[in-house]
Amino acid sequence: MSTSNSQSAVFLKAYEDYSDAIFRYCFVRLQQRDVALDLMQEAFMKTWEYVGQGNTIQNLRAFLYRVANNLVIDYVRKRKESSLDKLMEQGFDAPFEIRDAVYSAIDAKYVIKTLEQLDEKYQIPILLRYVDDLPIKEIAEIIGESENVVSVRIHRGIQQIKKIIPA
Amino acid sequence: MERLQSHFQQLKGLTLTDRERDERKKAILEHMLAHPREYPRLRILHAHRMLFASAGAIILFIAGALFVGEHAIPGDLAYIVKVEVTEHVIDAVTMTDEGRMDWEITKAERRQQEAEQLAAQGGI
């Protein structure tokens, strides 16, 4: 198998493995399904272009998260986003595609709303740690901070959550 | 904490539908075809950059040693390179009788120059 074919195969395998996680990462940040889908797709496309220019990626998953993160930041900067509450006030209900539809949908929205109340710098580490089960080291690589900083942010984020959610 | 963790796990249910996954995959595939890898050779070089860097460093070191050796006199550390490496290599590659004669004359001249330099420095 040529180098080019093996790279394509690796990349498509990465799509199968990480597309849900990258989509979820974008959706939790933006709470707009179509936008999250678009940004997920764009993250993979930009990553392919980066490799196609002759660059090497050591950790593909972390790279995809970083690209997605930058796309989300750019999107938020460009447009003023409405919160899920505002959308619901307007009669819009975000279509959650979840296996245990009603109960899980309620809990997922509840969790997202809880995350929203945290300091922004705590949201991403907690999301990556407790939803995507990423190790601290990889989270540090994704957000560009040291492992110590990530551990502290996760700890402080959990402390904030405990104050928000009754025991 | 367990309740919190179980709540976070609910977010795992946020996934693409099969249709969404396939549609987006198709778009990405089309993008991959439209943007083939531009510099496969460069990528190979980049991937083996450590190997090429090491080879380059070794070549530079050898070239430097040979250059320094050419000006060395007995007693210098580099004199070993001059006599044991450079001159032995030239001995080996000099094929013709005339070439070997010229080279022997050159070596004799080098020994004479070295002796003069040593004498000037007060040593022999």
Side-chain angles (χ1 to χ4, degrees):
Chain A
M1 179 182 281
S2 71
T3 304
S4 176
N5 286 342
S6 62
Q7 270 203 334
S8 299
V10 166
F11 191 77
L12 290 173
K13 175 74 166 52
Y15 176 79
E16 297 298 331
D17 291 342
Y18 307 136
S19 54
D20 281 337
I22 301 298
F23 159 73
R24 182 167 51 236
Y25 182 77
C26 297
F27 182 83
V28 170
R29 305 278 296 282
L30 300 172
Q31 297 162 50
Q32 290 180 283
R33 192 175 186 89
D34 287 343
V35 176
L37 286 169
D38 289 343
L39 295 188
M40 179 276 293
Q41 177 180 309
E42 192 172 346
F44 277 92
M45 289 180 172
K46 283 188 175 296
T47 300
W48 175 256
E49 289 172 17
Y50 183 80
V51 172
Q53 290 162 4
N55 299 298
T56 304
I57 298 174
Q58 298 294 336
N59 185 331
L60 186 51
R61 178 169 65 176
F63 190 88
L64 285 164
Y65 270 107
R66 282 210 306 274
V67 174
N69 185 59
N70 290 337
L71 288 171
V72 167
I73 290 171
D74 288 345
Y75 183 84
V76 171
R77 277 180 189 155
K78 285 175 187 173
R79 292 180 59 175
K80 185 177 180 182
E81 293 301 310
S82 298
S83 68
L84 187 62
D85 279 342
K86 284 185 183 176
L87 289 171
M88 290 177 71
E89 282 173 12
Q90 294 164 8
F92 175 80
D93 194 8
F96 284 78
E97 191 76 25
I98 297 173
R99 297 182 192 92
D100 298 324
V102 176
Y103 181 74
S104 296
I106 292 174
D107 272 355
K109 291 180 186 179
Y110 177 71
V111 176
I112 291 176
K113 291 180 73 174
T114 302
L115 281 172
E116 278 186 309
Q117 296 178 61
L118 301 181
D119 286 347
E120 194 173 336
K121 59 185 176 186
Y122 302 153
Q123 292 178 20
I124 296 173
I126 286 181
L127 175 67
L128 296 176
R129 183 82 182 106
Y130 291 107
V131 179
D132 293 336
D133 301 322
L134 297 186
I136 300 289
K137 184 179 178 182
E138 194 161 341
I139 297 172
E141 186 179 344
I142 290 169
I143 68 174
E145 297 284 356
S146 69
E147 292 180 41
N148 279 344
V149 167
V150 170
S151 297
V152 167
R153 288 185 183 178
I154 289 174
H155 174 75
R156 290 179 179 171
I158 294 297
Q159 298 307 308
Q160 278 191 2
I161 290 176
K162 286 180 179 177
K163 293 178 185 174
I164 298 169
I165 300 178
Chain B
M1 188 64 190
E2 282 183 8
R3 178 166 172 263
L4 189 64
Q5 285 181 327
S6 70
H7 276 157
F8 282 132
Q9 295 297 308
Q10 297 297 326
L11 285 181
K12 285 188 181 294
L14 282 171
T15 61
L16 303 165
T17 63
D18 290 341
R19 182 181 167 191
E20 286 169 341
R21 186 174 291 105
D22 290 342
E23 283 180 353
R24 300 295 171 156
K25 182 177 180 179
K26 184 182 172 187
I28 290 168
L29 272 170
E30 289 173 356
H31 187 80
M32 289 166 68
L33 288 171
H35 296 81
R37 292 167 63 242
E38 295 175 9
Y39 303 109
R41 290 204 185 100
L42 187 62
R43 191 208 175 274
I44 291 169
L45 279 176
H46 188 260
H48 295 88
R49 58 192 181 281
M50 286 303 296
L51 181 64
F52 283 106
S54 301
I58 291 170
I59 290 170
L60 278 173
F61 177 78
I62 292 173
L66 292 174
F67 176 77
V68 170
E70 281 303 293
H71 301 281
I73 59 175
D76 294 341
L77 191 61
Y79 189 71
I80 299 171
V81 175
K82 180 179 183 179
V83 174
E84 299 296 330
V85 177
T86 308
E87 291 187 358
H88 277 183
V89 168
I90 297 174
D91 286 339
V93 302
T94 306
M95 298 296 183
T96 64
D97 290 339
E98 187 180 353
R100 276 194 282 271
M101 191 185 308
D102 286 341
W103 173 234
E104 291 302 324
I105 294 171
T106 301
K107 279 201 291 187
E109 289 171 348
R110 285 155 73 99
R111 299 292 92 81
Q112 186 175 347
Q113 282 173 2
E114 290 158 14
E116 288 170 357
Q117 279 180 274
L118 268 179
Q121 290 177 10
I124 270 286

